[in-house]
Amino acid sequence: MDSGLYLIFLATTVMLIMVPGPSAITAASQGASQPQGKAFFGVLGIACADVLYFSLSATGIASLIIASATLFALIKWVGVAYLLYLGLSAIFSNAGPINLSREQKTSRPGKLFYQGLIVQLANPKALLYFSALLPQFIDPAEPVLLQLLIMGASCLLADLLVYSAFSYMGNHLARKQLKAWVVNAINKTAGLTLIATGIRIAMMEVKN
């Protein structure tokens, strides 16, 4: 695999992950409300969702999903409903799923992992991204499987590092003894961001 092409792929992927979205907000909120060792399970859930989308794209199944309007619509609307639920919970509930608070409440690792996994799976943009991206960086003259393994491992590592950074930032903000109105404003902003993302996904169409 050409090193220059690989670096472009890696930089593009990292920049995409660094753009704040539902998964970044989830990682930050878990970092704020959980001990850092426990919060990592949420990050791992997000990364596993991306691994699944990457694998689907690499095996060509993603193209079949995107080609099927019914199947894609099902994925899209489940994702929209879940994101709207998270956003509304954050806005109207003091104990919503996106809650930056100084008080740490230890949750089960499985619950944190599941939340991270579902939030990321609820956004089919990742599926579209990998489906569009991978063919641009694969050299058919080189072993394709090896190239996919390298890119897949790179995506996994980038996910773990970037979302762990979001988790740490959430923990740092929560420990800063923020006033109640500031915490409330952050929660409301996070909720509105999730709702806006859900609306954007609802408006998303696949062009044939």
Side-chain angles (χ1 to χ4, degrees):
M1 186 175 186
D2 180 74
S3 58
L5 203 60
Y6 168 75
L7 290 176
I8 295 174
F9 163 80
L10 183 61
T12 304
T13 301
V14 170
M15 291 304 296
L16 178 74
I17 297 172
M18 288 180 66
V19 175
S23 296
I25 294 171
T26 299
S29 67
Q30 288 185 350
S33 61
Q34 304 292 322
Q36 282 298 287
K38 286 286 184 67
F40 180 75
F41 285 96
V43 172
L44 187 60
I46 295 170
C48 285
D50 272 344
V51 168
L52 175 59
Y53 276 144
F54 184 95
S55 300
L56 288 172
S57 301
T59 56
I61 297 177
S63 298
L64 296 178
I65 293 176
I66 294 173
S68 170
T70 302
L71 187 53
F72 184 83
L74 178 62
I75 295 173
K76 181 178 77 170
W77 288 112
V78 169
V80 168
Y82 192 72
L83 289 174
L84 292 178
Y85 161 74
L86 289 176
L88 292 172
S89 296
I91 292 174
F92 294 109
S93 173
N94 291 330
I98 307 301
N99 185 26
L100 288 179
S101 172
R102 295 188 295 273
E103 182 182 356
Q104 289 194 341
K105 298 179 180 179
T106 302
S107 299
R108 296 189 307 274
K111 180 179 180 181
L112 298 173
F113 176 88
Y114 178 76
Q115 185 180 33
L117 180 74
I118 293 300
V119 167
Q120 187 67 349
L121 285 178
N123 187 359
K125 278 189 175 182
L127 184 64
L128 291 172
Y129 169 72
F130 285 129
S131 297
L133 183 73
L134 292 183
Q136 314 303 321
F137 293 96
I138 293 177
D139 183 355
E142 300 289 337
V144 174
L145 181 58
L146 178 60
Q147 295 177 73
L148 290 174
L149 288 174
I150 292 174
M151 289 190 289
S154 300
C155 287
L156 175 61
L157 182 59
D159 270 338
L160 293 175
L161 291 177
V162 174
Y163 287 117
S164 290
F166 278 118
S167 177
Y168 175 80
M169 286 191 292
N171 180 271
H172 182 69
L173 283 174
R175 305 286 82 75
K176 278 293 187 178
Q177 302 296 314
L178 299 178
K179 294 182 179 180
W181 71 267
V182 177
V183 175
N184 185 59
I186 292 174
N187 287 332
K188 297 297 185 287
T189 301
L192 290 173
T193 300
L194 289 171
I195 291 173
T197 301
I199 293 173
R200 285 199 299 270
I201 292 175
M203 298 172 64
M204 192 167 64
E205 296 180 0
V206 179
K207 296 180 180 180
N208 295 322

